[in-house]
Amino acid sequence: MVPKPPARETSSGFIYVPPYRVQGFSIAGEGTVVQVPELDVCFDIGTCPRMVLPSPLVALSHGHMDHVGGLPYWLSQRHFQKLGPGRIACHQRLEGPLRRMLESWVDLERQKTPFEIVGLEDGEEVQLRPNLMLRAIEVSHTSPSMGWVVIERRSKLREEFLDLPQDRLVELKSRGTPITRTLEIPLVAYTGDTEMGPFLLRPEFCEAKIVLSECTFFDPDHRGRAKVGRHLHVEDVAQLVRSWKAEAVIIVHLSRRSPLGMIRERLDAIDGGAHKDRLLVLMDHRANRRRLEAQVAAEAPAGDDAAEARAATEVQAGEEE
Ligand SMILES: [Zn+2]
Ligand SMILES: [Zn+2]
């Protein structure tokens, strides 16, 4: 008898929250890698799909294999494809062990792959672009763990100077008067693996436009398991979404054991469905495809049936379940 070919690999999740694409793969224990190409950042790298190679920086939440497994491969492929050395941002306590792991590859491969690694403490930042910072927020898991927030800094004219003419402003500035103040806009926050805690209610999380949140347990009987593994349970997420103002809360790190239908039901039940439309699941391919089709249709000029049909087939072509 002819043997069956292996099962198709699970494809990547994709959610568009204009102007950001959130794409990647995330299943608890197997692998989590979530990229936001517009912000040049990739959160964790449990596996290394091709699409994350252009990301110049990986922000690691912690050292569990399902979050770092793809790291040496990413660095090596970036080097091989001449994309420049990869930068790694991690918890300060992970820097030494990661360095040792990466240096041992030099002996294994008999070649040196360049990398840059920055260990951070709670509240410290690395720069992504001139106005774009990545801030570390320490969370609590079974090993040292960081959450991350990408923050845009905008400089705004101070209230008291709003009505002044340009030449007056130039004059004030030349005399050294600070005429602007800096606004911080949290764009995307990532919880990493964590249990519930006050750090998840810091302003960076509450104000972020998009929150990527782990949620590993959904069964009401699994509260104890969540506590032991120091993970979020859907009842924690229910509390958090009341404080998070994000237009999209994207759930990652689902367990393969929880059926998607049950997950969706439990998310939809939070506050009688009040957060239903902004609670998205990265690996719910079907729901995300429908959402994307609606986004494409909304973009097409009214009555342009051909464009809508085209969009639907394009979306389907890019999708493998
Ligand atoms: Zn994990
Ligand atoms: Zn973990």
Side-chain angles (χ1 to χ4, degrees), residues 116-316:
E116 190 195 323
I117 183 161
V118 196
L120 289 96
E121 293 192 38
D122 182 50
E124 289 189 326
E125 296 178 343
V126 287
Q127 191 167 39
L128 298 172
R129 280 188 226 144
N131 301 331
L132 214 56
M133 309 301 289
L134 175 74
R135 183 176 298 166
I137 293 187
E138 187 158 38
V139 295
S140 171
H141 188 44
T142 54
S143 70
S145 198
M146 280 298 184
W148 300 97
V149 186
V150 178
I151 295 171
E152 188 190 339
R153 292 229 170 95
R154 264 186 225 163
S155 106
K156 276 250 176 197
L157 197 58
R158 285 172 179 269
E159 294 277 310
E160 60 267 40
F161 301 132
L162 280 177
D163 298 326
L164 289 189
Q166 193 65 28
D167 52 343
R168 217 19 219 123
L169 291 174
V170 174
E171 188 194 322
L172 280 169
K173 205 178 167 196
S174 67
R175 276 200 266 131
T177 311
I179 58 167
T180 56
R181 65 196 169 94
T182 307
L183 271 188
E184 282 198 347
I185 304 152
L187 302 176
V188 179
Y190 174 59
T191 65
D193 281 13
T194 183
E195 63 183 340
M196 185 64 164
F199 37 79
L200 293 178
L201 293 169
R202 279 170 47 165
E204 293 95 328
F205 274 102
C206 292
E207 305 295 325
K209 189 178 157 73
I210 301 172
V211 177
L212 308 170
S213 176
E214 80 123 299
C215 187
T216 316
F217 295 96
F218 287 83
D219 191 316
D221 295 334
H222 289 173
R223 280 233 66 131
R225 290 198 204 182
K227 207 177 163 63
V228 172
R230 298 211 185 163
H231 281 294
L232 293 179
H233 186 276
V234 70
E235 287 163 27
D236 302 316
V237 171
Q239 266 191 57
L240 290 166
V241 290
R242 287 174 200 138
S243 302
W244 290 345
K245 296 178 193 152
E247 65 173 271
V249 173
I250 300 175
I251 304 294
V252 297
H253 210 264
L254 299 178
S255 156
R256 244 194 226 280
R257 276 166 302 200
S258 315
L260 214 45
M262 183 267 270
I263 289 172
R264 200 59 255 183
E265 245 171 60
R266 302 232 51 211
L267 289 173
D268 290 354
I270 298 173
D271 293 343
H275 314 282
K276 210 174 155 175
D277 293 337
R278 63 187 186 109
L279 268 169
L280 310 170
V281 175
L282 181 65
M283 300 306 280
D284 188 348
H285 302 308
R286 212 173 296 249
N288 294 338
R289 185 174 58 212
R290 273 200 301 270
R291 190 174 169 276
L292 194 62
E293 280 168 2
Q295 286 174 316
V296 173
E299 210 173 55
D304 188 352
D305 289 343
E308 279 171 41
R310 211 160 45 234
T313 41
E314 273 165 24
V315 171
Q316 256 157 22

Side-chain angles (χ1 to χ4, degrees), residues 85-127:
R87 264 172 108 198
I88 305 152
C90 65
H91 193 291
Q92 157 272 121
R93 285 172 62 194
L94 252 59
E95 188 182 331
L98 281 171
R99 237 177 237 290
R100 289 197 291 280
M101 186 263 279
L102 293 170
E103 274 153 15
S104 68
W105 281 97
V106 180
D107 282 344
L108 279 166
E109 288 205 293
R110 300 276 159 193
Q111 63 175 23
K112 206 169 159 71
T113 298
F115 64 89
E116 190 195 323
I117 183 161
V118 196
L120 289 96
E121 293 192 38
D122 182 50
E124 289 189 326
E125 296 178 343
V126 287
Q127 191 167 39

Side-chain angles (χ1 to χ4, degrees), residues 27-32 44 61-62 64 66-67 141 193 214 216 231 253:
I27 293 173
E30 285 182 26
T32 288
D44 285 328
S61 61
H62 64 301
H64 284 159
D66 56 322
H67 298 257
H141 188 44
D193 281 13
E214 80 123 299
T216 316
H231 281 294
H253 210 264

